[in-house]
Amino acid sequence: MSTSIVFIVYVNEASQAARFYADLLEIKPSFETPGYIAFDLGDGADLALWSGQIDGPIPAVPRTSEVCLALPGGPDAIDRQFERWVAKGVRVVSEPHDEVFGRTFVVADADGNLIRVAPVD
């Protein structure tokens, strides 16, 4: 079995989405083409943004991805991350609240893909 995994998030405009994710996650792309941009997350994991085509975006395509950023530090760390991202102007889907797995919130990228922040398991 491979020791590498790539999580692909479908977007309309890869370069625009890459700027959003680079700013949000405070990382730089590790691989770039016009319609596919990847970020090395470490330990054999990558986050890739893929437009699925090079001819142009298809805005009507529904987006259903959810990626989760697992943070150490407990509820206070989750709330601080929320405040930092809100200051960057992200679209909030769900404000910080407690779930069975701990404190969490959800934001969305320009394509409607969800980004959850939750505690490390």
Side-chain angles (χ1 to χ4, degrees), residues 25-68:
L25 302 176
E26 299 176 352
I27 57 176
K28 294 182 189 242
S30 57
F31 180 82
E32 295 183 61
T33 67
Y36 181 91
I37 300 172
F39 295 87
D40 179 0
L41 301 176
D43 294 332
D46 290 321
L47 172 66
L49 308 171
W50 188 23
S51 66
Q53 77 286 328
I54 294 187
D55 296 334
I58 304 171
V61 175
R63 308 300 179 192
T64 58
S65 298
E66 179 173 308
V67 295
C68 182

Side-chain angles (χ1 to χ4, degrees), residues 24 69-86 96-98 102-105 116-120:
L24 198 67
L69 173 64
L71 292 181
D76 291 339
I78 304 293
D79 290 342
R80 283 191 304 273
Q81 190 68 49
F82 177 77
E83 291 168 9
R84 282 192 294 272
W85 285 7
V86 166
H97 62 282
D98 296 322
R103 192 91 171 141
T104 188
F105 69 87
R116 177 179 300 279
V117 174
V120 172

